[in-house]
Amino acid sequence: MASLPLMLACVVAIGAALGPAPARAACAKLIASGNPEYPPYLWRDSSDGAHLVGANAALMRKLSERIGLPIEMRYIGSWARVQEEMRSGRIDLIAGAFLTRERLDYMDYVHPIIATTRSVVITAPGASFGYKEWSDLVGKKGVTVVNNSFGEAFDRFAEQSLTIEEVAKLDNALQMVAHHRVDYLVYEDAPARAFAARLGITDLKEAENAISNEDLYLTLSHKSACNSGALRGKLAKAMQDLAAEKTMDELIAAAIKDWQLH
C-alpha cells in the first residue's frame, strides 16, 4: 500500500493535470422577452423596435430594481420564436407565460403569478352558432395563434375534438374571423380587443362564457446561466412584494392608455 505522502502527491498531480474546475458564468444581466402581440401586457416599441413595452415590461423594470440586476426587455420575434429561444437558454426570462406540462421541461415558474387572464371564443356578427361550452365548437372551424395554450384541459380537448388552425399573427386571425374564413377565434379577451380596435374591426362578439381563466407567470429558463436557487428566491420574494402592493393593477391601467395612443 502506498504511503500517505505518496498518495497526496498523486492527488495533487491529478488535480494539476485536470486543471481548475470551470467557474460558473457571471450573471450580470437578464434578457427577458414575451409575446409581442399581447397588449396591454406586451407589444413591440414603435420608437425602438428592438424592445417590448407594456404592463409586463414595466413590471420587469420594477423587478429589476428589487433584485438589483438589470433586466432587458428584448423583442425576439414571434411568440413561437420566443419559446424556442427560452428552450435553448438564449434568453433568461419570459414575462408572461401560461403553465403547461411541456413548458415545465425547459423553464421554472416563479410564484406568485403576474396576473389572471380570460380566454374567450370570438365570432363575427351573424355567426351560425352560439357558444356556451366546449362541445359547441365541435364541427366548427377555428383559429388561434401558433404555440398558444389555453390550459391543459382545453388544449387536450382541442387536440382530440376540434379543428383549430394556427397562424403566426393575431392580426391574421382576427381578419380571418371578420371575413368569415373561420367560424371562431380563441384568444385572450384584452389583447384581441386591442388589436381589433387598431385594425378597425369593431363588431366582433365575445362569448359570455370563457374558454378558460389562466394564470400568467414569470418564467426562468433551465439553461439560463443566471438560473440559481439564490436568483429564484430573489425573484419570488420580489414578486410577492409587488403583488402585495397591487403593482400590476396600476401597470395594466397605464398600459391600456399607452396602447390607445400607440
Side-chain angles (χ1 to χ4, degrees):
M1 183 174 178
S3 66
L4 181 59
L6 179 59
M7 291 175 65
L8 290 174
C10 290
V11 170
V12 171
I14 292 171
L18 292 176
R24 183 182 177 89
C27 180
K29 179 172 72 171
L30 293 164
I31 304 299
S33 194
N35 188 341
E37 297 187 323
Y38 203 40
Y41 302 104
L42 284 177
W43 67 90
R44 194 174 184 183
D45 188 351
S46 60
S47 62
D48 178 4
H51 294 94
L52 297 173
V53 295
N56 289 5
L59 182 67
M60 292 303 99
R61 289 194 294 273
K62 291 185 176 293
L63 187 64
S64 173
E65 295 170 0
R66 301 295 177 101
I67 67 173
L69 196 62
I71 301 177
E72 180 186 348
M73 198 69 211
R74 187 179 295 176
Y75 170 73
I76 299 297
S78 70
W79 179 222
R81 171 74 183 279
V82 169
Q83 291 172 75
E84 285 303 312
E85 295 293 288
M86 188 71 163
R87 187 189 297 272
S88 70
R90 285 189 288 270
I91 60 173
D92 304 294
L93 301 170
I94 287 182
F98 294 153
L99 176 61
T100 71
R101 287 179 61 85
E102 178 190 4
R103 292 172 184 172
L104 286 170
D105 289 337
Y106 62 92
M107 58 192 190
D108 295 316
Y109 283 73
V110 178
H111 296 263
I113 62 171
I114 292 175
T116 298
T117 69
R118 183 173 180 268
S119 297
V120 295
V121 170
I122 300 168
T123 58
S128 59
F129 74 104
Y131 173 81
K132 291 185 178 179
E133 57 188 28
W134 296 353
S135 60
D136 294 329
L137 303 177
V138 175
K140 306 296 182 183
K141 186 177 180 181
V143 67
T144 191
V145 176
V146 67
N147 280 12
N148 244 27
S149 169
F150 302 101
E152 291 285 348
F154 181 79
D155 289 350
R156 284 195 301 270
F157 175 78
E159 183 178 1
Q160 295 168 4
S161 306
L162 302 182
T163 302
I164 301 181
E165 181 180 351
E166 293 184 336
V167 296
K169 293 183 173 292
L170 179 56
D171 296 36
N172 298 340
L174 287 162
Q175 294 283 12
M176 290 171 72
V177 175
H179 291 93
H180 299 274
R181 294 200 294 271
V182 293
D183 297 306
Y184 65 91
L185 162 67
V186 180
Y187 208 76
E188 292 99 283
D189 55 2
R193 277 188 227 122
F195 267 83
R198 172 180 286 183
L199 293 169
I201 302 173
T202 59
D203 52 0
L204 296 180
K205 297 181 178 180
E206 295 176 11
E208 183 176 347
N209 294 349
I211 284 283
S212 61
N213 294 288
E214 290 296 311
D215 291 335
L216 197 63
Y217 290 87
L218 173 68
T219 63
L220 177 64
S221 172
H222 288 174
K223 292 187 177 179
S224 166
C226 295
N227 192 339
S228 66
L231 177 63
R232 293 193 298 274
K234 285 183 180 180
L235 291 172
K237 288 179 180 178
M239 288 294 290
Q240 281 186 337
D241 292 341
L242 291 167
E245 295 162 16
K246 299 188 182 302
T247 300
M248 199 60 187
D249 293 344
E250 300 173 7
L251 298 181
I252 289 174
I256 289 172
K257 292 180 181 178
D258 289 345
W259 171 259
Q260 291 170 342
L261 297 173
H262 182 63

